[in-house]
Amino acid sequence: MRGMDEYHNGNEGSFSSEEADSVVKECIESVVGGDDYSQSQVNKWTASIVERCLTQLIKQGKPYKYIVTCAVMQKTGAGLHTANSCYWDTAVDGSCTVRWENRTMYCVVSVFAVAIA
């Protein structure tokens, strides 16, 4: 059964959602770590997280084009709902969404990997 904090596409194919999940978590930790939410830092954090994720995914040398999105939200009790849908070749393309949190914020990062033909 899948945990509430992360979703992986059903077809593992050649895209490894587990590897992407690990990369994303490491990037979030290295950028945000134990910091408290700071509105003045959010733009820097989100840009750094997506850039680091892309860099690390590309270093794996797999034949994919990547799209990475990141949202950071302060924990205030408000709701945050996200959704995505893709029309692609499920045999080779894939996605991974990670929800990370600390005591003051949520960070949601999605990775989409599209095989290069």
Side-chain angles (χ1 to χ4, degrees):
M1 184 169 177
R2 294 182 178 131
M4 290 295 289
D5 64 330
E6 53 196 64
Y7 172 81
H8 303 291
N9 62 326
N11 186 331
E12 294 307 314
S14 56
F15 173 74
S16 172
S17 58
E18 288 82 12
E19 285 179 23
D21 183 270
S22 177
V23 165
V24 169
K25 287 178 180 174
E26 288 173 15
C27 291
I28 296 169
E29 287 288 339
S30 69
V31 172
V32 179
D35 292 350
D36 285 341
Y37 179 85
S38 170
Q39 185 175 356
S40 65
Q41 295 294 310
V42 171
N43 285 341
K44 184 180 92 173
W45 287 338
T46 55
S48 294
I49 290 167
V50 296
E51 288 170 16
R52 286 181 190 226
C53 287
L54 278 173
T55 299
Q56 294 305 313
L57 290 165
I58 291 166
K59 280 184 182 178
Q60 293 178 346
K62 296 185 179 180
Y64 287 99
K65 292 188 244 182
Y66 295 101
I67 300 164
V68 180
T69 65
C70 177
V72 172
M73 180 178 170
Q74 183 177 18
K75 280 188 176 180
T76 61
L80 171 65
H81 304 271
T82 64
N84 61 59
S85 180
C86 302
Y87 180 74
W88 58 18
D89 184 351
T90 57
V92 292
D93 302 331
S95 66
C96 168
T97 297
V98 176
R99 187 189 82 174
W100 177 94
E101 65 182 281
N102 67 14
R103 64 182 191 84
T104 63
M105 70 183 117
Y106 296 105
C107 181
V108 179
V109 176
S110 293
V111 174
F112 303 91
V114 181
I116 298 171

